[in-house]
Amino acid sequence: MKGAIFDVDGTLLDTMPAWETAGAKYLEQKGMTAEPDLRETLKVMSLDQAAAYFQAHYGIDEPMEQIVSDVYQVVADFYLYHAQPKAGVPEFLKQLRANGVRMCVATATDRKWIEPALARCGLLEYFGEIFTCASVGHGKDEPHIYEAAQQFLHLTKEEIWVFEDASHAAETAKKAGFLVCGVFDASECEQNKLREFSDIYLNSFEEAGGKFHEKGFNHCRV
């Protein structure tokens, strides 16, 4: 291992609950109580569809653009003030840096949220660059973001590990020729698929040192 590319949401930071509860918190700010099934209802909707649902179902008399903006702000506040690293992450990153592993971020979330969240958590210093799907112009169903990170790291794919909690992203990275470390997060429903495309699978970063040590990466023991 000479390089590492890290996803953020659900991998480095425990942020997925922010997206899952954003609708309920938005309604709470409006003085309303969300129905118990709101999370499942919104799960398959885009933000624009969710805004239309709030208008029709909860009688919110505001333009869709304002509703979308307000929901985004709920999520932004979580990143800026509340997001925390997942267990074992700071220790693992510290060990990798101590052993000369080059690291960068590949995320689907806006840099304006990711960068301050990582900085507040004391993690930003470990990464040479932050790549976003917006900055490369492609989602994680395509390998462009990982290949852009690879070029930045100046390493071969065989020297780089990609850390992901989402099965579709792990599949993309694996099929593109990268080594993949799958990281458990409760938001991912297809854990078997994530395992399938992972060279190493972690229930948490607290076991990362042992798992990589088993693969022969002695410098990764934490």
Side-chain angles (χ1 to χ4, degrees):
M1 182 195 294
K2 294 185 178 180
I5 302 169
F6 287 89
D7 171 58
V8 177
D9 296 298
T11 301
L12 292 176
L13 300 182
D14 189 15
T15 51
M16 296 309 293
W19 294 96
E20 295 171 351
T21 61
K25 289 184 177 179
Y26 166 75
L27 291 173
E28 183 180 334
Q29 291 179 355
K30 296 296 182 183
M32 302 179 183
T33 301
E35 295 178 349
D37 62 348
L38 179 66
R39 181 183 299 185
E40 289 302 312
T41 300
L42 299 181
K43 199 177 207 179
V44 297
M45 295 184 182
S46 67
L47 270 177
D48 284 345
Q49 290 172 324
Y53 180 77
F54 287 141
Q55 288 176 327
H57 196 74
Y58 287 91
I60 294 178
D61 187 21
E62 290 182 355
M64 284 180 56
E65 295 79 4
Q66 184 61 51
I67 296 174
V68 169
S69 177
D70 289 346
V71 173
Y72 261 124
Q73 191 57 52
V74 170
V75 179
D77 287 346
F78 182 86
Y79 278 87
L80 294 175
Y81 305 113
H82 304 292
Q84 294 295 321
K86 295 182 76 173
V89 165
E91 296 80 4
F92 187 61
L93 296 180
K94 183 178 180 180
Q95 187 68 19
L96 292 185
R97 183 173 66 177
N99 286 278
V101 177
R102 306 174 202 169
M103 293 176 276
C104 60
V105 161
T107 177
T109 302
D110 289 348
R111 183 175 185 138
K112 65 183 178 182
W113 295 352
I114 292 296
E115 189 166 358
L118 291 174
R120 180 178 51 77
C121 293
L123 304 182
L124 185 62
E125 64 185 85
Y126 293 106
F127 303 107
E129 186 55 275
I130 296 172
F131 294 89
T132 68
C133 291
S135 69
V136 300
H138 296 271
K140 287 190 175 181
D141 56 334
E142 300 177 277
H144 297 76
I145 192 168
Y146 304 116
E147 291 169 347
Q150 177 202 351
Q151 291 175 14
F152 172 81
L153 294 172
H154 298 290
L155 297 169
T156 67
K157 291 180 179 179
E158 293 78 11
E159 296 172 317
I160 298 171
W161 282 78
V162 173
F163 292 77
E164 283 282 0
D165 71 297
S167 60
H168 75 279
E171 179 179 3
T172 299
K174 185 62 181 175
K175 289 182 175 179
F178 292 92
L179 294 163
V180 174
C181 180
V183 181
F184 172 80
D185 190 80
S187 64
E188 174 55 70
C189 298
E190 297 186 283
Q191 291 298 321
N192 288 337
K193 184 178 178 182
L194 178 60
R195 287 177 181 271
E196 176 186 350
F197 291 104
S198 298
D199 297 280
I200 288 178
Y201 178 88
L202 302 177
N203 290 296
S204 84
F205 278 95
E206 292 176 311
E207 64 183 27
K211 287 290 184 72
F212 277 90
H213 180 67
E214 291 172 5
K215 286 281 187 178
F217 299 98
N218 296 329
H219 64 281
C220 294
R221 181 171 286 282
V222 295

